[in-house]
Amino acid sequence: MSLVANTPVEKMTGPYPRRWFALVVLCLSLLIVVMANTSLIVAAPDMTRDLGLSSSDLQWVIDGYTVPYAALMLVLGSIGDKYSRRGALITGLVIFAGGSVMGSLVHETGLVITARAVMGVGAAVVMPATLSLLVATFPKHERVRAITAWTATSGLAIAVGPLIAGWLLEDHAWGSTFLINVPIAVVAVLGALILIPPSKAEGMGRIDYVGGLLSIVSVGSLVYATIEGPHFGWGTAPITAAVAAGVGLLAFVAWELSHPHPMLDVRKFRLRPFGGSMLAVLFFFFGTFGAIYYSTQFLQFILGYTPLETGVRLLPLAGAVFAGAAVTGRLTPKLGVKAMVVTGMVIGTAGVFLLTLVDKGSTYTDFLAPMVMLGFAIGLSVSPATDTIMGSFPEAELGVGGGANDTSMELGGSLGIAILGSLLATS
């Protein structure tokens, strides 16, 4: 018997026996790419002192990861569908680990930003692959539970990233926050070969590369504009990027409507469950990433907590995510997706509102309720929303479905850090 899982999912006559072990590998892969979004925030003071970063430099050290990550997921998810979803996962993990090694070794601002961008490309391959492999590997009656675990992991990673980074920074330089990814990525690659069966779309036609290019221009330009504009003023570059995003979006929609085999059938947005779920995922991560960004800065710079102390104080958010996931697993079959998503939106909005009441005289306890509410809202609502999104795509387009869902997550997170984080800091 071969150590490597060789039998494709499509050729199996029944459910894959080791699917729950495969889910552990998928969640581990997801964990490190989402953690990379938030772990560097608590390392910002050390990096600023060591590299002499300006405000603009620091913003791009953090967001150099975000632009390729958000812009490339739809295209790379489609490529994974056509050629190999497991191959895409492994390739993405290798690229991500390579960028992490580079980031731990270099000591020039431009090279650190480049390393973060390489990691972002790897993450853009990994994230849609994890979701498409999950849906391909699990039978329909088990997918809700598996997706709940997947979404709980993404919520956990948001809070655990600063904790692990803070722990490392107690005794090591900021480069350690990059290097910690490498052994986890190696374990995930070995786990993927041993536990995750091969999978790809059957009978998939040619990839719509024109549509893919237009999606990259649209999303990439939008993320760039939202990062540059609120932080550094609406000069020529962010305005040009915003116009490019708008023109690119119109061109993308027109192209996809006329293409016989579009990368993303934009007619799906007319379906209220799909369109509503995409917006819900975007808004949940908009609120959560903006709140995390603001909270970590406040706890460190205003309240004077160390990186480790800051990470520990974000743990209630992770616990609330798991609590929400447990509740949604029981209530969604009884009350339906809409009830869970709407309830989560109300709770999450209330949490963000409470953050606007924070001022210079606030203490950690003023952050506790908003963080718990946001975490519970993610656990309650993102899983059923993601299940609805993935259920809208046929088996041949699972990578595209994963890319669409994950683009909403990352775009929401980018907008949250750029817009909500700035607004909260101003207030």
Side-chain angles (χ1 to χ4, degrees), residues 2 37 64 66 84 139 144 153 191 217 219 230 263 274 285 296 298 338 396:
S2 174
N37 258 324
T66 301
S84 173
V144 173
T153 300
V217 170
V219 177
M263 176 163 288
F274 177 80
F285 282 84
T296 54
F298 193 99
K338 184 177 180 180

Side-chain angles (χ1 to χ4, degrees), residues 29-30 32-34 36-37 64-74 76-77 85-100 113-130 181 185 189 406 410:
S29 304
L30 175 69
I32 58 171
V33 300
V34 177
N37 258 324
Y65 181 76
T66 301
V67 176
Y69 187 9
L72 295 173
M73 278 194 283
L74 196 63
L76 295 176
R85 292 166 181 145
R86 186 178 71 174
L89 175 65
I90 293 171
T91 301
L93 287 168
V94 171
I95 295 171
F96 185 85
S100 298
I113 295 172
T114 300
R116 289 280 290 171
V118 172
M119 292 171 65
V121 173
V125 186
V126 170
M127 199 163 181
T130 61
N181 297 316
V189 167
D406 300 340
E410 189 60 24

